[in-house]
């Protein structure tokens, strides 16, 4: 009887942790934008008119849905760096490996679960040089009720590093987001 009760409790806990999982929806419009750097203005390809692109901020176990609209003149894909695409290999992103590229004016929806992952990762274009400016943070927090495997930090400061090209020169571009 006691064993049955424990089993029932276990099933309840499992059910409640699944019920907590949310779906996080994002829309990424990949397009050209102008930035000023080193007294010069240059055109880059970026997401939603911002560099770095939007931060994906979710909890372990959540489902992530990203609608990508390719408003750039290039073929592209997006890779979710560090995510083990369990049961969703088609959402991994490498161009011509797991999918055909999203063509100019094309759209594609990436849908995957961040189950069994925690940490500060990043996402980036996985086609040619676009990865230099098409990127952003991907933060997966522990589910509520589970702790970080280290003392709680006073502050979190995600830092991402990319490259912009001005006058044929590659310039490191560091952002604190
Ligand atoms: C995300 O979209 C799904 C439908 O695809 C919807 O059920 C869900 O409520 C949306 N979540 C948020 C946070 O908007
Ligand atoms: C800005 O661009 C002009 C023309 O492309 C170039 O001559 C100049 O050296 C550039 N300035 C810097 C600081 O890179
Ligand atoms: C874009 O991708 C398509 C296949 O999806 C391919 O036929 C075409 O050649 C690609 N264009 C460029 C510029 O690579
Ligand atoms: C994308 O759509 C715009 C507006 O409809 C059009 O002018 C452009 O030619 C299209 N580009 C491609 C590559 O289909
Ligand atoms: C994410 O996990 C939920 C619950 O197990 C499942 O219903 C859903 O289909 C999964 N989503 C994807 C994209 O695999
Ligand atoms: C976890 O707790 C925070 C703060 O109370 C809340 O904003 C968030 O929605 C919770 N997340 C989940 C997955 O329950």
């Amino acid at each position: 009887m006691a064993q049955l009760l424990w089993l029932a409790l276990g099933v309840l806990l499992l059910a409640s942790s699944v019920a907590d999982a949310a779906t996080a929806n994002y829309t990424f419009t990949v397009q050209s934008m102008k930035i000023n750097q080193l007294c010069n203005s240059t055109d880059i390809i970026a997401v939603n008119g911002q560099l770095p692109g939007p931060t994906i901020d979710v909890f372990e176990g959540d489902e992530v849905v990203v609608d990508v609209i390719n408003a750039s003149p290039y073929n592209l894909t997006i890779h979710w760096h560090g995510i083990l695409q369990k049961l969703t290999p088609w959402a991994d992103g490498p161009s011509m490996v797991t999918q055909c590229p999203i063509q100019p004016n094309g759209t594609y929806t990436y849908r995957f679960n961040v189950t069994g992952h925690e940490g500060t990762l990043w996402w980036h274009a996985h086609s040619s040089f676009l990865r230099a400016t098409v990127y952003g943070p991907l933060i997966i927090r522990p589910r509520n009720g589970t702790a970080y495997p280290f003392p709680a930090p006073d502050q979190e400061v995600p830092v991402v590093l990319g490259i912009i090209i001005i006058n044929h020169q590659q310039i490191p571009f560091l952002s604190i987001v």
Side-chain angles (χ1 to χ4, degrees):
M1 190 60 196
Q3 270 172 338
L4 260 181
L5 271 177
W6 279 117
L7 185 68
L9 189 65
V11 168
L12 268 179
L13 282 175
L14 191 69
S16 72
S17 74
V18 168
D20 277 351
T23 300
N25 305 311
Y26 297 85
T27 300
F28 283 13
T29 302
V30 187
Q31 65 208 126
S32 174
M33 75 178 264
K34 222 174 246 321
I35 60 165
N36 295 312
Q37 194 73 6
L38 297 180
C39 308
N40 266 337
S41 163
T42 191
D43 284 315
I44 60 164
I45 301 294
V47 174
N48 296 358
Q50 59 184 93
L51 184 70
T55 298
I56 291 182
D57 197 336
V58 293
F59 289 92
E60 190 277 327
D62 282 353
E63 183 174 33
V64 177
V65 179
V66 185
D67 287 321
V68 177
I69 300 166
N70 186 3
S72 86
Y74 306 103
N75 277 354
L76 65 91
T77 56
I78 308 275
H79 174 60
W80 318 96
H81 201 109
I83 301 283
L84 187 68
Q85 293 284 358
K86 239 182 190 169
L87 303 177
T88 47
W90 46 83
D92 197 38
S95 184
M96 303 309 278
V97 179
T98 57
Q99 70 174 107
C100 291
I102 312 166
Q103 296 184 44
N105 283 354
T107 63
Y108 186 82
T109 300
Y110 290 93
R111 188 183 282 271
F112 54 91
N113 282 338
V114 289
T115 306
H117 296 69
E118 286 171 1
T120 305
L121 315 178
W122 67 310
W123 55 265
H124 59 84
H126 206 293
S127 23
S128 177
F129 61 91
L130 287 175
R131 71 192 72 205
T133 51
V134 175
Y135 61 82
L138 168 46
I139 300 171
I140 306 166
R141 301 176 188 279
R143 289 209 76 71
N144 288 357
T146 67
Y148 286 91
F150 45 77
D154 294 327
Q155 205 187 340
E156 295 177 34
V157 185
V159 174
V160 268
L161 183 64
I163 291 173
I164 52 174
I165 297 170
I166 294 184
N167 291 324
H168 309 289
Q169 274 190 306
Q170 294 181 7
I171 300 169
F173 191 85
L174 185 99
S175 318
I176 294 170
V177 293

